Amino acid sequence: MITSRNNPRVKQWASLAQKKERSKQQLFLVEGDHLVTEAMSANLLELLIVSEDYTGEVRFKNTEVVSSSVA
């Protein structure tokens, strides 16, 4: 579980808020069960990031759990 906002992966994910970074990294973030399910259906999901409090039903082989404060 990632618990620090200073974690390099968290910083990379946060950088995706900028269009320039999304284009450069060829990555994007989606939020919510519906959009995640759509991304999975389209084979676009590379990593599922979930809060430690997540109780939904979406499951993925490559999942990263983050603390509530990071989420």
Side-chain angles (χ1 to χ4, degrees):
M1 178 185 335
I2 296 176
T3 58
S4 172
R5 292 180 187 162
N6 292 321
N7 183 292
R9 295 187 76 193
V10 173
K11 288 182 178 185
Q12 179 209 7
W13 300 331
S15 74
L16 295 173
Q18 298 177 334
K19 182 180 180 188
K20 176 178 91 174
E21 284 299 316
R22 290 191 302 271
S23 295
K24 178 178 158 185
Q25 297 181 43
Q26 293 292 294
L27 295 172
F28 62 94
L29 296 173
V30 295
E31 185 176 356
D33 289 345
H34 174 72
L35 291 177
V36 170
T37 302
E38 290 295 317
M40 287 174 74
S41 297
N43 290 321
L44 295 174
L45 190 64
E46 292 183 12
L47 173 67
L48 178 63
I49 305 166
V50 296
S51 168
E52 64 185 333
D53 301 328
Y54 178 70
T55 58
E57 303 208 8
V58 176
R59 302 285 181 247
F60 188 65
K61 64 181 184 250
N62 191 13
T63 301
E64 187 72 63
V65 179
V66 298
S67 67
S68 297
S69 62
V70 170

